[in-house]
Amino acid sequence: MERYNPKVIEPKWQQIWEDQKAFVAVDDSSKQKFYISCMFPYPSGVGMHVGHAFEHFIVDAIARFHRQHGENVLNPMGWDSFGLPAENYAIKTGTAPSLTTKTNIANFKKQLAILGVGIDWTRELNTSDPEYYKWTQWIFTKFFERGLAYQKESLQWWCPVDKTVLANEQVEGGHCWRCGSVVEKKSMKQWFFKITDYADDLLNDIEDLDWPQKIKTAQTNWIGKSQGAEIEFKLEGSDESITVFSTRPDTIFGATFLVLAPEHELSKTLAVGDFKEFTESYIKTAVKKSEIERTNDTKEKTGVFTGSYAINPVSNEKVPVWVADYVLGGYGTGAVMGVPAHDERDFAFAEKYNLPIIQVVQPETGKPQENPEYRKSIVAIVRDPKTNKYLSINWGADLGGNLFVGGGREENEDIVETAIREIAEETGYTNIQLISKTDTIHHNYFAHSKNVARRIEANALLFELIDDTKINTALEANEQGKFTVEWLSEKEIVAKVRDELHATSFDLLVGGKIYHGEGILVNSGEFDGMPSSEAREKIVDWLTEKKLGHTQTTYKMRDWLISRQRYWGAPIPIIHCAEHGAVAVPEKDLPVVLPEIEDYAPKGDGKSALARATDWVNTTCPECGGPALRETDTMDGYACSSWYLLRYADPNNTENAWSREKVDYWSPVNYYVGGDHAVAHLLYVRFWTHVFYDMGLVGFKEPVKKLIYHGLIGAEDGRKMSKSLGNTVDPIDIINQGYGTDALRTYELFMGPIEIDADWSSKGIAGSYRFLNRVWTLSQEYINSNDKSVTKNDNAIRVAQHKTIRKVTDNFRRLSFNTAISALMEYVNDLYKFKVDGFSDEGWHEALVTLVQLIAPFAPHISDELWSQLGGEGLVQNAQWPVWDEALIIEETITIAVQVNGKLRGEISIGKDEAEADVKAKALAHENVVKFLTGEPKKVIYVAGRLVSIVA
RNA sequence: GGGCGAGUGGCGGAAUCGGUAGACGCGCUAGACUCAAAAUCUGGUUCUAGCAAUAGAGUGGGGGUUCAAGUCCCCCCUCGCCCACCA
C-alpha cells in the first residue's frame, strides 16, 4: 500500500491543473459569475511568509468551493510593484527597479504555484508595466479634464529620509509609514485628487456595504462630516474679517477671543506693534514643530496675542485675536471662536492667558416633560478634606440609589442657607464651609411617588467639612429610615451616583468639567431662555440675514495628495508650457514611459531623480508645439491600485482601459479579501469607481460587494511576524519538511475564525497532516480491500455522511472554515470506527467520494488524487458539490437530557416520533431523577429532541 | 479622551435560536504494535472529593430575568485594536 506522500502528489496535480488550464476564467456572460480577489501584493524581495499565504488560502478555498458549485469563477493575480523598497534597493545597489521587480514577481509566482493556489494567470497584471500605467495615466488626464486633478501650493507632510511628500493617510502618529522617521511640514506645489467632491457620496453609500463594521466606522470617521456654521468676525479698524467655523453657533455670545492657526494667512499680517516680533517667531516654531510635538503637548496650550481685535458680530464686544497651534490650519477655516465656558480646549487656553469666561448655556438634564410643575432646589456636595471622601445619601436601589444631599428651596430662600439647612437636617453635620457653587442647572424628571412631572432649577454647591460636629438630624416623616449616610471616594461617587442632575453637579464642581452639552441660553441678548438646540438655528438665521454667516458642512477628509518626488512610480502625464500652463499629455502619446536612469537617489531638492533626466524632461507643448517641460513627480502607488480590480475583467485590452461590457459582467467583486488597509486603499478604490460611474465607464458605484477582513498570523513568539525580527516562517520550508501544502492550508484555515489574529504553531500543523494521512490511509485500505461485502454499518455511515455534508456546507457559507474542518475530522473519526467491521462497496464508496469532495477546497491535491483513485471523472472541482438529504439525517433513536431544577440528572433514550407524554413519563421514571424528586413535580417541560426539564 | 472588539481547560478554539459547556485539534497521559525508537492505532484528559457509581463547583467579577443563561438585561474589572486638540 502506498503511503501518503505530498511530495509526489502535489507537484503531479499542480502540473495537471496547469496543463488543463483549470483556473482560466472565460468571459461567458451566460454563466453565473463569481469574482474573488485578494488585495494584490507588493512583490517584495523576501517573498511570502505563512501569514501572507493565509490570505491566498482563504481566497483559493472560497474560489474552489464556488467552482464546485458550477459557477464561472474569476480569481486573478497582479502586482502592486511601484513603490519605495524597490527604489531604495536601486539607490543602494544601482540595480534598476524594473529588474528587481521582475525577479521578485517570478519568485512570488513560483511560491503561489507550490502553495497550490488556483489563479488565472492569463489575467496577470503589473502596475509598473507601461501597458498598465498607460491607463493609470489616461485616468489621470480624464480626472484633470473634469477638474478632479489639480495643482496647489500647500504645506505638506515631508519625510526627510525618503525625501518625498506623503498623503495624510501615510502619516502614522507623526511618523512616515514606510521608514518610521519623524515627518516635517514643507510648502510645495503638489498634485491633488479632489476626493472631497465625493465626500457625501462616499459617506452615504457606506451604510449599504457588506463590509465589517469596524472598517465602515473607520471610513465614516475618516470622512468626518460635521455640520455647523461659518461666522464672520470683522477686524477692528479694518475692512478685513476672520471667518471661523463652529458646530456650536449657539454659544457665540460666549466667544471672548478668536484663535488663528499658525498656518492661517492672516496670522502673519495681523500682528501689530510690539506683538509683531513675538507672533512671527511663534508661527515659525509652531509650523516647524513636528506633528508629534504638537499633539504631545495636549496638556499645555501655547499661543500669542497678535495685538489685533475683532468684533463679536452678535454682542459687538471687542475680542482679542490670538494665534495658537491647538487650532489646525487644514480643518474648517483654520480659525475658531474661543468659547471658554463651553469648550475644554478654549477653557484651558483662557485660564492660562487670563481671558474672560462668560457662561452662555445653563445645563439642562433629563428629558423635558409635558406640563411640569416648577420647583427650585439645591444639590449639596460635602467633601471631608481629611479623607477626601464625599457625603452621600443612599436611598436604596428602588429610590434612586446614591445621591447627594438635596432639597427644595422656597422662592426667596437663600441658596447657601438652604444647602446648610438641608445638610444639617439630613446628615447632622453643621461645621462646614462653602467652597464653590454652580449657576442654575435645569432638570426634568418624573416624580413617581407624587405622580407628577417636574422641572426644577437647581444650584449645586460644594462644601468642605471643618470638623465632624454633629447635631441630631431632623428628618421629615417620609424620610425616616429610608436612607443611610455614606462617605464615598471620588471613584465610588462616579460609579454609584446615577442621577443625571447629581452626577452633572459633581462633574462641574469636583470633576472640573466644562459643560458642553445642551441647555438654556443666558447672557445671550434676545436669545436668553431659548433651548440651545433651537438657538443654534435661530442665531445662524440671524447671522445669515445680516450676511455675517451661514450654515456650513465641514469634513475632516482633505483632498488626496498624489504627487511623489520619487522615481519608481507612474509619471504624472502633464507637460508644463510657459504659455499654456499645465497641459495633459494627449491619449495618443500615452504612456509617458519612465526613462531608464543611472542614479536613482533624490537629492533633497524636493524633486525626484527624474528631474535630472534632461532628455526626457525637455519636450514640446501638445498645444503649441513650443518648448516645454515634463512634470517630474510620479503618482502615489494608491492611484495604481485604485482601478486594478476593473482591469482584471479585461486585462489585455490595448484600445481602452477596459470594455464596459466585460467589467459589468464580472464586477463588482463578490468577495474582496484582505487584512490591511482600513481607510486609504479601500476609500480610494471606492472614490475612483464613483467617478467612473459618473463618467459612464461602469454601471455601478461600489466596486466591492463584500469585504472579508481576515486576522493576521503572528509569529510563534507572539510578536508580529517580520523579517527584521527574524521570526518569519516560510511556507515553502514547511512544505519541504514533508507536510505538504495541503496540510499547511488545512492547518491555517483550522487555527481559528479567519477574522481573528492567531499565532503560528509549529506543532499544530502536525495535527492537520495526521488528519490528511488518516484520510489517505482509509481510502487506500478501502481500495485495496479484497472483501467488500459487509453492509452492517451502511445506514449509520449514510447518516454521518449526510450530516457532514450539511455541516460543512453551512459552515462554509458563513466562512467558518475551522468548524467545517472539525466536522470533517469527526466524520473521519466515525469512519475509522465503522472500519473495524470491514468495508462494503455501496456505503463506503459513496462515503469516501463525498469526503474527498468536501475536503477539496482545503486540500485540493490529495482530493484530486483520491478522486481519480476512486474512479472519479476529471477534476474534483468540476464535479457537483454533494447535496445532503434531510430525510437521511434523522436517527431512529436519540438520547436526550433530563434536568431537575436546572441540573443535569440523567439521559434517556427515545424514539424519533415518541409522544411528549411518553417522553415525560420516561424522564420521571429515570432512576437518578427519582432520587432528586420529593413528591409531585411542579412542572415538566419538554423541549422536542433536546431535553426534559423538571421543576421539583 | 473618543470609537470598536474580546475575556470559556495547560494551549488554539467550539457551542448559528436561551436548551446536556468544553466539539475538533495541540499538548499531556496510559496501553497496543516494536529488541528499541519513530510512525501508526486504541483509551483517558475542566477543577475538587471518591476505587467507583456519583456529588459539588465552573465560561473575567457582582447582581437580575427564566423551568433553563457562555448566550438576554444592569453594574464593575481586565486586555487588545483603531482614531485622537477636527472647534
Side-chain angles (χ1 to χ4, degrees), chain A residues 84 87-88 91 157-166 174-184 186 565-566 600-605 607:
Chain A
L84 280 177
E87 179 168 334
N88 288 339
I91 292 166
W157 295 120
W158 171 262
C159 172
V161 174
D162 287 333
K163 298 193 174 62
T164 181
V165 293
L166 300 166
H175 295 267
C176 170
W177 69 320
R178 277 292 171 246
C179 68
S181 40
V182 175
V183 297
E184 300 165 357
K186 199 164 174 165
Q565 290 68 48
R566 300 296 305 216
Y600 300 96
K603 301 298 182 207
D605 54 359
K607 287 180 181 158

Side-chain angles (χ1 to χ4, degrees), chain A residues 616-631:
Chain A
W616 180 82
V617 172
N618 288 303
T619 185
T620 52
C621 170
E623 298 268 338
C624 62
L629 299 173
R630 286 191 191 279
E631 170 67 51

Side-chain angles (χ1 to χ4, degrees), chain A residues 161-450:
Chain A
V161 174
D162 287 333
K163 298 193 174 62
T164 181
V165 293
L166 300 166
N168 291 314
E169 292 84 341
Q170 293 166 336
V171 177
E172 294 168 350
H175 295 267
C176 170
W177 69 320
R178 277 292 171 246
C179 68
S181 40
V182 175
V183 297
E184 300 165 357
K185 281 262 166 144
K186 199 164 174 165
S187 185
M188 299 171 77
K189 202 165 190 186
Q190 301 288 331
W191 285 95
F192 292 85
F193 283 140
K194 215 168 175 185
I195 190 171
T196 50
D197 269 11
Y198 282 78
D200 250 334
D201 214 10
L202 292 168
L203 184 67
N204 293 337
D205 289 352
I206 288 175
E207 203 182 322
D208 297 329
L209 296 173
D210 184 7
W211 287 19
Q213 192 52 48
K214 67 170 181 174
I215 308 288
K216 300 209 295 189
T217 309
Q219 294 211 348
T220 305
N221 293 341
W222 184 264
I223 294 170
K225 181 177 184 167
S226 53
Q227 265 151 339
E230 281 191 359
I231 302 164
E232 216 177 291
F233 282 66
K234 292 242 153 60
L235 283 168
E236 190 197 36
S238 156
D239 294 337
E240 284 191 286
S241 60
I242 293 170
T243 304
V244 302
F245 173 73
S246 173
T247 53
R248 291 298 299 271
D250 50 309
T251 63
I252 188 168
F253 283 87
T256 53
F257 57 96
L258 293 189
V259 193
L260 303 180
E263 295 86 356
H264 195 284
E265 49 181 20
L266 286 177
S267 288
K268 292 181 202 94
T269 58
L270 216 54
V272 292
D274 295 345
F275 298 105
K276 228 177 165 85
E277 201 181 319
F278 287 119
T279 309
E280 275 166 16
S281 86
Y282 178 81
I283 292 169
K284 228 180 237 170
T285 36
V287 170
K288 233 172 64 188
K289 263 193 200 175
S290 73
E291 182 78 346
I292 321 181
E293 284 169 313
R294 253 171 96 159
T295 52
N296 264 358
D297 307 338
T298 43
K299 311 140 242 163
E300 192 66 12
K301 301 235 176 316
T302 61
V304 284
F305 177 43
T306 60
S308 291
Y309 290 87
I311 306 298
N312 184 322
V314 292
S315 64
N316 287 317
E317 293 287 328
K318 214 167 96 169
V319 297
V321 181
W322 288 65
V323 174
D325 67 3
Y326 79 91
V327 175
L328 306 174
Y331 179 76
T333 60
V336 304
M337 60 184 201
V339 185
H342 302 293
D343 183 283
E344 309 240 359
R345 296 152 301 185
D346 296 341
F347 178 77
F349 194 73
E351 264 212 322
K352 180 164 174 184
Y353 294 108
N354 287 315
L355 295 161
I357 299 169
I358 302 173
Q359 187 196 12
V360 291
V361 179
Q362 290 178 337
E364 178 171 4
T365 56
K367 266 210 178 83
Q369 319 257 336
E370 279 191 29
N371 303 320
E373 185 180 289
Y374 288 87
R375 290 287 174 95
K376 285 187 166 28
S377 79
I378 58 97
V379 174
I381 301 172
V382 182
R383 171 168 56 208
D384 182 350
K386 291 194 201 77
T387 59
N388 232 344
K389 290 195 169 181
Y390 298 86
L391 190 59
S392 172
I393 292 188
N394 188 347
W395 291 90
D398 294 339
L399 293 170
N402 279 82
L403 297 174
F404 297 106
V405 170
R409 173 169 72 89
E410 298 305 320
E411 196 61 39
N412 295 318
E413 199 177 4
D414 181 78
I415 292 166
V416 181
E417 277 169 17
T418 309
I420 292 172
R421 176 176 55 78
E422 289 284 350
I423 292 165
E425 283 176 6
E426 294 186 4
T427 70
Y429 292 101
T430 51
N431 206 1
I432 54 175
Q433 58 178 333
L434 179 69
I435 301 299
S436 59
K437 64 184 201 317
T438 68
D439 188 23
T440 305
I441 303 173
H442 302 268
H443 183 57
N444 306 288
Y445 72 108
F446 193 84
H448 288 281
S449 55
K450 306 216 168 83

Side-chain angles (χ1 to χ4, degrees), chain A residues 82 87 160 206 276 370 432 473 494-495 553 606 622 644 775 783 793:
Chain A
F82 274 135
E87 179 168 334
I206 288 175
K276 228 177 165 85
E370 279 191 29
I432 54 175
T473 54
V494 172
T553 303
Y644 79 108
V775 171
I783 291 164
N793 297 312

Side-chain angles (χ1 to χ4, degrees), chain A residues 61-123:
Chain A
I62 298 171
R64 287 176 187 271
F65 180 78
H66 282 265
R67 270 189 214 103
Q68 288 180 270
H69 282 81
E71 291 170 35
N72 192 19
V73 172
L74 170 56
N75 176 22
M77 182 59 64
W79 313 104
D80 187 17
S81 57
F82 274 135
L84 280 177
E87 179 168 334
N88 288 339
Y89 184 76
I91 292 166
K92 229 184 331 185
T93 64
T95 319
S98 53
L99 292 180
T100 44
T101 300
K102 217 171 163 184
T103 318
N104 294 347
I105 287 174
N107 181 40
F108 265 68
K109 284 181 80 166
K110 200 175 111 199
Q111 282 189 309
L112 285 166
I114 295 171
L115 295 172
V117 179
I119 286 161
D120 180 357
W121 287 111
T122 67
R123 293 169 188 263

Side-chain angles (χ1 to χ4, degrees), chain A residues 601-616:
Chain A
K603 301 298 182 207
D605 54 359
K607 287 180 181 158
S608 80
L610 272 178
R612 302 194 298 271
T614 43
D615 288 353
W616 180 82

Side-chain angles (χ1 to χ4, degrees), chain A residues 731-743:
Chain A
I732 307 302
D733 284 349
I734 300 295
I735 291 165
N736 289 340
Q737 278 166 34
Y739 289 118
T741 187
D742 280 346

